[in-house]
Amino acid sequence: MREALRSATAQARAAEDQRAALQAKLTATEQERDRFRKQSETYRAQVKEAEQAYRQAVKDFNDRIAERDDSLEKWKSAYGEAAAVARTKDAERAKFEADATAFKASTKACEAKNVRLAKIADDVVRQYEAMDPLEKVLDHDPVFGLKRVEHQNAAQDFRDKILEQKAKP
């Protein structure tokens, strides 16, 4: 019996040692599990932060794209307005050039008519100066009035020539 008691005691001590070793192993495993849980929670927090940072970066990027699109639309609008103004100014320039050409032609025609008018006026003055005193008396003769009719016809001819030279706008 002693032998069996010794054997049972030895087995009990071995079982107790094994239990203590397993308990130590269990404690170490639980500590490792707790460390992994903390590490896992840290990683999860980092993943959440990274996701938030990613979402914020995407939002910022989309905001910048929207600002760029708005700016681009403003530039397009301004370009369209500038192009319209340029087309309007170009049309006005073409119109003014056509008007200037017409005015130059009209001015040349008026200048030519002015030269002819001056010549007619010179002819009138020359003819009046060429009248001798007898013609002047006959011109004012109330009885026959022959010369008066000639002078009136000449005056009418000069008036017609002057009216032909009238500038027409």
Side-chain angles (χ1 to χ4, degrees):
M1 268 216 182
R2 276 190 192 194
E3 231 356 90
L5 184 60
R6 276 188 202 156
S7 167
T9 305
Q11 282 179 353
R13 280 188 188 158
E16 187 65 31
D17 288 344
Q18 191 176 17
R19 187 187 70 78
L22 288 175
Q23 185 67 31
K25 204 176 200 186
L26 177 66
T27 303
T29 304
E30 285 177 353
Q31 286 176 351
E32 192 173 333
R33 183 195 65 195
D34 290 341
R35 186 176 58 86
F36 284 142
R37 277 188 186 160
K38 286 181 183 176
Q39 192 175 22
S40 173
E41 288 173 8
T42 303
Y43 289 150
R44 283 184 185 146
Q46 287 176 352
V47 166
K48 282 185 181 180
E49 287 177 12
E51 284 178 351
Q52 287 176 348
Y54 173 73
R55 286 187 188 116
Q56 186 62 37
V58 168
K59 182 182 176 291
D60 291 345
F61 182 72
N62 288 339
D63 290 345
R64 283 191 308 226
I65 287 177
E67 286 176 14
R68 181 194 56 95
D69 289 345
D70 290 344
S71 177
L72 183 61
E73 285 301 318
K74 287 178 186 175
W75 278 102
K76 282 182 182 178
S77 173
Y79 176 76
E81 290 173 11
V85 167
R87 283 190 293 274
T88 302
K89 294 294 181 185
D90 193 41
E92 287 177 0
R93 181 196 51 78
K95 179 186 172 282
F96 290 145
E97 283 180 358
D99 289 348
T101 304
F103 288 142
K104 284 178 185 176
S106 175
T107 301
K108 285 183 181 181
C110 286
E111 287 173 354
K113 287 183 178 191
N114 193 22
V115 167
R116 288 188 292 252
L117 201 59
K119 184 180 175 196
I120 292 169
D122 192 39
D123 288 345
V124 169
V125 170
R126 204 176 318 113
Q127 199 173 43
Y128 183 75
E129 288 175 347
M131 284 179 55
D132 60 19
L134 182 61
E135 282 181 295
K136 288 180 184 178
V137 169
L138 288 177
D139 185 34
H140 295 299
D141 177 27
V143 178
F144 296 109
L146 296 176
K147 282 292 192 178
R148 174 176 266 181
V149 172
E150 285 180 30
H151 285 294
Q152 286 176 348
N153 286 340
Q156 185 62 42
D157 288 342
F158 284 126
R159 185 175 290 123
D160 290 342
K161 288 180 181 179
I162 290 171
L163 289 176
E164 283 177 9
Q165 302 307 315
K166 183 177 180 183
K168 296 172 186 129

